[in-house]
């Protein structure tokens, strides 16, 4: 039971760390878009086109990192959910009054958590 609890905790903290980075990248995207909007207000400014192209490249990189972090957060959340199911199944099997053959077949079901 302790091993499952540790697994659930590490998965949940992994998800929280990923979401924290995702929040940081989203704020950075917002700030860059504001700068791009300001640069588009004055298209005659020297170097504004180069600045916009540079910011677009940075935004593309941030979007790719954000998508990767979303994937990691979803993975962490699914692991925590699976572990919770396994913990509940274990507790339920321990206290139910079913016959041992039924418990064994239920325990050998394909979901491992």
């Amino acid at each position: 039971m302790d091993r499952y609890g540790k697994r659930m905790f590490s998965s949940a903290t992994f998800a929280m760390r990923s979401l924290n980075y995702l929040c940081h990248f989203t704020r950075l995207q917002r700030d860059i878009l504001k700068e791009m909007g300001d640069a588009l207000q004055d298209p005659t400014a020297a170097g504004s086109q180069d600045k916009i192209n540079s910011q677009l490249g940075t935004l593309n990189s941030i979007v790719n990192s954000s998508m990767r972090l979303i994937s990691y957060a979803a993975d962490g959340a699914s692991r925590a959910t699976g572990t919770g199911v396994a913990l509940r199944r274990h507790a339920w099997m321990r206290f139910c009054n079913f016959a041992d053959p039924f418990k064994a077949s239920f325990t050998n079901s394909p979901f491992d958590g």
Side-chain angles (χ1 to χ4, degrees):
M1 204 71 144
D2 183 48
R3 185 179 73 183
Y4 288 127
K6 286 180 183 178
R7 201 191 221 173
M8 181 189 274
F9 178 77
S10 67
S11 295
T13 56
F14 177 70
M16 292 302 293
R17 196 168 39 241
S18 298
L19 292 172
N20 187 26
Y21 281 115
L22 184 61
C23 180
H24 173 73
F25 282 140
T26 303
R27 285 181 181 150
L28 185 58
Q29 283 176 326
R30 182 193 60 201
D31 294 343
I32 289 174
L33 286 172
K34 184 179 180 313
E35 287 179 23
M36 287 176 65
D38 293 343
L40 289 174
Q41 293 289 332
D42 186 15
T44 59
S48 66
Q49 195 67 18
D50 292 335
K51 185 177 180 181
I52 289 173
N53 286 336
S54 171
Q55 290 171 339
L56 283 174
T58 304
L59 275 176
N60 188 32
S61 174
I62 291 171
V63 166
N64 290 336
S65 297
S66 296
M67 293 304 291
R68 197 168 36 250
L69 285 170
I70 289 168
S71 174
Y72 293 157
D75 181 60
S78 65
R79 287 177 188 262
T81 302
T83 302
V85 169
L87 283 170
R88 293 189 74 191
R89 180 177 64 185
H90 177 73
W92 179 72
M93 294 294 284
R94 187 173 182 179
F95 296 110
C96 73
N97 293 324
F98 292 128
D100 287 338
F102 176 75
K103 286 182 181 181
S105 66
F106 190 76
T107 302
N108 293 329
S109 63
F111 186 76
D112 187 23

